[in-house]
C-alpha cells in the first residue's frame, strides 16, 4: 500500500483497537491509481483542462471503496462517526448531485461540477463532501453539503466550500475518524445556532475524548477551530 493508504487503514485500526469504540468497517480491493486516468480528457473531452496535481495523484486511495462506521460505547458520551470513500476515479464517474427547485443558477452551475467523494450511507445523515471538477485549477476544490446549512435565500442547496484540498481532507479524516460534523471545522460557519446543536455536541465530545484516546495526534488546532465557531 502507499503511505496514504496505510495511514487511512491505520486510522481505522486505531479505532478498532480502542475499547472505547464499536466499529464496523469495509475495505474493498485495491484498484488502479488515479494517475492511470490522467489526463481526464481520455474519459470526457470537456475535462481536457482539468488538472490532477502531482500531490493529488500521490495521496489518492486505490481502494475501490473504504468505509467505516463507529460509535463510542460509553453511555455518558453521544459520539458517532462514519465515512465512505469511493475510489476517486469512481467518484468522478458519478452523476452530479441533484438540486431542488429553489436552486439558483450559480448553485446549479456549481453542482454540475461536483462529484461525491465522502458520505455516510449507513446513518444517512445527509452530510457529504464533493470534489469540484473545474478547469485550470492547480488544486481542485472540496465542497461540503449538510442539511443544517440550507438557507432559503442564500444557500438553498446547503453547500459551502471547505478550506481543504483533497489530500488535506484525507489528512483531517485521519484525525477526526469521520466524527459527524467534523467538516464544519473547515468551512466558514458559526455553530452557535440551535440547528447545529447535534454537530456541536458531537464535535465537543470528540475533542474531549480523542486527545487521550489517540495521543499520537495533535488535536489543538481542531480545538481552536471549534472554539472559534462557538
Amino acid at each position: 500500500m502507499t503511505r496514504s493508504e496505510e495511514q487511512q487503514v491505520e486510522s481505522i485500526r486505531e479505532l478498532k483497537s480502542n475499547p472505547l469504540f464499536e466499529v464496523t468497517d469495509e475495505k474493498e480491493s485495491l484498484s488502479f491509481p488515479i494517475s492511470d486516468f490522467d489526463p481526464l480528457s481520455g474519459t470526457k473531452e470537456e475535462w481536457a483542462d482539468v488538472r490532477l496535481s502531482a500531490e493529488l495523484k500521490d495521496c489518492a486511495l486505490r481502494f475501490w471503496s473504504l468505509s467505516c462506521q463507529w460509535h463510542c460505547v460509553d453511555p455518558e458520551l453521544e459520539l458517532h462517526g462514519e465515512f465512505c470513500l469511493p475510489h476517486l476515479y469512481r467518484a468522478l464517474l458519478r452523476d452530479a448531485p441533484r438540486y431542488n427547485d429553489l436552486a439558483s443558477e450559480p448553485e446549479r452551475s456549481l453542482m454540475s461540477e461536483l462529484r461525491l467523494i465522502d458520505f455516510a450511507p449507513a446513518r444517512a445523515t445527509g452530510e457529504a463532501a464533493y470534489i469540484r471538477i473545474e478547469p485550470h485549477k492547480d488544486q481542485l476544490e472540496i465542497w461540503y453539503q449538510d442539511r443544517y446549512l440550507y438557507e432559503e435565500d442564500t444557500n438553498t442547496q446547503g453547500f459551502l466550500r471547505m478550506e481543504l484540498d483533497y489530500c488535506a481532507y484525507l489528512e483531517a479524516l485521519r484525525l477526526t475518524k469521520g466524527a459527524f460534523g467534523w467538516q464544519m471545522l473547515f468551512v466558514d460557519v458559526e455553530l452557535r445556532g440551535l440547528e447545529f446543536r447535534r454537530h456541536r455536541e458531537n464535535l465537543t465530545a470528540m475533542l474531549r475524548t480523542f486527545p487521550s484516546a489517540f495521543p499520537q495526534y495533535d488535536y489543538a488546532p481542531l480545538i481552536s477551530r471549534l472554539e472559534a465557531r462557538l
Side-chain angles (χ1 to χ4, degrees):
M1 291 189 293
T2 66
R3 180 173 179 271
S4 180
E5 290 160 355
E6 288 176 346
Q7 288 176 333
Q8 295 302 324
V9 171
E10 178 61 22
S11 180
I12 295 174
R13 189 180 298 121
E14 290 162 355
L15 276 169
K16 296 175 71 174
S17 63
N18 193 310
L20 269 176
F21 305 99
E22 186 173 300
V23 183
T24 301
D25 69 301
E26 183 176 3
K27 180 178 65 179
E28 296 189 15
S29 60
L30 291 171
S31 183
F32 298 103
I34 190 65
S35 58
D36 282 7
F37 305 99
D38 189 33
L40 292 177
S41 56
T43 301
K44 290 187 177 183
E45 290 184 4
E46 59 265 35
W47 291 352
D49 295 316
V50 178
R51 302 169 185 164
L52 299 180
S53 68
E55 182 186 18
L56 183 149
K57 287 185 283 189
D58 185 56
C59 76
L61 309 179
R62 294 173 297 161
F63 300 114
W64 194 239
S65 177
L66 182 68
S67 61
C68 181
Q69 180 190 5
W70 57 268
H71 69 272
C72 183
V73 299
D74 186 341
E76 301 295 321
L77 279 176
E78 282 289 330
L79 176 55
H80 306 264
E82 183 181 1
F83 62 86
C84 182
L85 306 171
H87 191 289
L88 185 55
Y89 186 68
R90 180 184 176 188
L92 296 180
L93 294 179
R94 290 177 181 265
D95 292 336
R98 296 180 179 180
Y99 47 79
N100 62 39
D101 293 341
L102 296 174
S104 65
E105 283 304 317
E107 286 177 315
R108 296 183 186 199
S109 177
L110 165 68
M111 293 174 67
S112 71
E113 298 176 334
L114 298 180
R115 298 296 185 274
L116 184 68
I117 60 165
D118 185 17
F119 63 119
R123 291 289 295 271
T125 60
E127 301 164 52
Y130 297 80
I131 194 166
R132 187 176 184 181
I133 309 175
E134 191 177 16
H136 309 295
K137 289 278 188 174
D138 292 331
Q139 296 291 342
L140 299 181
E141 298 172 359
I142 304 298
W143 287 71
Y144 175 58
Q145 184 182 36
D146 193 300
R147 64 189 183 280
Y148 298 123
L149 295 175
Y150 283 72
E151 295 181 4
E152 187 172 349
D153 296 326
T154 61
N155 190 3
T156 69
Q157 308 305 298
F159 280 96
L160 285 179
R161 181 183 173 182
M162 296 191 70
E163 302 166 6
L164 301 173
D165 61 20
Y166 183 78
C167 295
Y169 186 94
L170 293 180
E171 182 63 25
L173 185 63
R174 289 179 60 211
L175 271 69
T176 63
K177 317 295 188 193
F180 287 124
W182 76 264
Q183 294 95 336
M184 291 284 192
L185 300 176
F186 294 91
V187 297
D188 185 12
V189 65
E190 292 184 352
L191 298 176
R192 300 170 187 168
L194 182 62
E195 68 272 25
F196 297 119
R197 179 181 59 83
R198 289 189 178 181
H199 282 338
R200 190 167 58 242
E201 291 176 350
N202 203 61
L203 291 172
T204 299
M206 176 189 76
L207 292 172
R208 285 177 179 169
T209 306
F210 278 19
S212 57
F214 309 112
Q216 64 271 40
Y217 297 110
D218 179 12
Y219 286 97
L222 296 185
I223 292 171
S224 295
R225 283 183 171 273
L226 179 58
E227 290 175 346
R229 286 159 173 77
L230 296 179

